Amino acid sequence: MCPTCGHGRSNNPSGEFTFRQSALDLFALLDHLNIAQFKAIGVSLGAKTLLHVATQQPARVEAMVLVSATPYFPEQARKIMRQVSPDNRTEAEWQQMRQWHKQGDEQIRALWRMSNAFKDSYDDMNFTPPYLSTITARTLIVHGDRDPLYPVRMAVELYTSIPRSYLWVVPNGGHGPIFGNIAAQFVETSLAFLRNEWNGQ
């Protein structure tokens, strides 16, 4: 398995996906490569995986950038998840997914079914403030103030719970607000953070 099993060119024989398992897969890869500690950037799925990594093995993560993360799924996200189905996607969405995922249309259907199934998941993403406080990694939280899935208060909850954290709220930013006009600023800011170049850290 892999940290994004079932996405891109990878497969997912189990037919199931959890962020907890994604973290375990990442540990297996790091162990195989003999990487004791690392820095990382995670966006959405990747950010949620990093929350599991940083709480399961805190010493493993030196620094991380979490983009569009959430400690749990709020109701407004579950409402959107309930509407996700292979049966109501547009042709443009199918074409985009076919560019990203190379295992055929059944792989794409499985990914949309996975997104729908998150609506009923309550134990995989369930990070309380005390649990988040065990994270030791320097953490930059990046969040759009117009994220339709996770309101900005979720980012504030992460920021107030993770001890060595910083919060960057992107004005008029949606889910994954680091592309387009802000991409260059995001690259410069996140790399400087990961290199520990910020004053007062």
Side-chain angles (χ1 to χ4, degrees):
M1 298 182 71
C2 67
T4 54
C5 56
H7 293 71
R9 298 182 183 278
S10 68
N11 57 21
N12 183 7
S14 73
E16 298 179 358
F17 178 91
T18 66
F19 298 100
R20 182 178 291 105
Q21 182 60 54
S22 183
L24 295 176
D25 294 339
L26 181 55
F27 288 136
L29 176 62
L30 293 168
D31 291 342
H32 178 74
L33 298 174
N34 295 314
I35 297 174
Q37 191 178 57
F38 69 100
K39 304 173 185 178
I41 297 174
V43 181
S44 191
L45 183 153
K48 292 186 277 289
T49 296
L50 284 175
L51 285 175
H52 276 284
V53 171
T55 49
Q56 291 181 39
Q57 296 186 21
R60 206 77 186 258
V61 190
E62 180 182 344
M64 60 183 180
V65 179
L66 305 177
V67 182
S68 301
T70 185
Y72 51 87
F73 294 137
E75 176 53 32
Q76 73 181 59
R78 295 179 190 277
K79 182 178 180 180
I80 293 172
M81 293 165 182
R82 292 184 193 105
Q83 299 169 358
V84 176
S85 168
D87 300 327
N88 60 14
R89 300 297 93 185
T90 67
E91 184 58 31
E93 289 173 313
W94 274 102
Q95 292 304 320
Q96 180 64 78
M97 291 289 276
R98 286 169 179 146
Q99 291 181 31
W100 291 336
H101 307 293
K102 304 303 182 180
Q103 301 289 335
D105 285 1
E106 185 51 40
Q107 176 195 23
I108 297 169
R109 292 188 187 93
L111 290 171
W112 277 323
R113 288 193 294 265
M114 176 193 76
S115 296
N116 178 272
F118 288 152
K119 71 185 187 302
D120 300 316
S121 173
Y122 290 89
D123 60 340
D124 187 29
M125 292 301 301
N126 188 20
F127 290 96
T128 63
Y131 195 25
L132 291 168
S133 73
T134 66
I135 294 175
T136 60
R138 291 185 297 107
T139 304
L140 173 60
I141 299 157
V142 184
H143 208 88
D145 69 352
R146 295 294 185 269
D147 190 323
L149 291 170
Y150 314 132
V152 73
R153 64 180 171 81
M154 314 298 290
V156 174
E157 186 170 329
L158 291 171
Y159 168 65
T160 57
S161 301
I162 298 173
R164 303 169 65 200
S165 65
Y166 300 79
L167 177 61
W168 176 10
V169 177
V170 179
N172 202 35
H175 190 70
I178 59 170
F179 304 103
N181 293 337
I182 201 172
Q185 183 183 358
F186 172 75
V187 171
E188 180 181 0
T189 302
S190 59
L191 290 180
F193 176 78
L194 292 174
R195 289 193 294 256
N196 202 14
E197 295 176 355
W198 288 14
N199 293 327
Q201 292 195 103

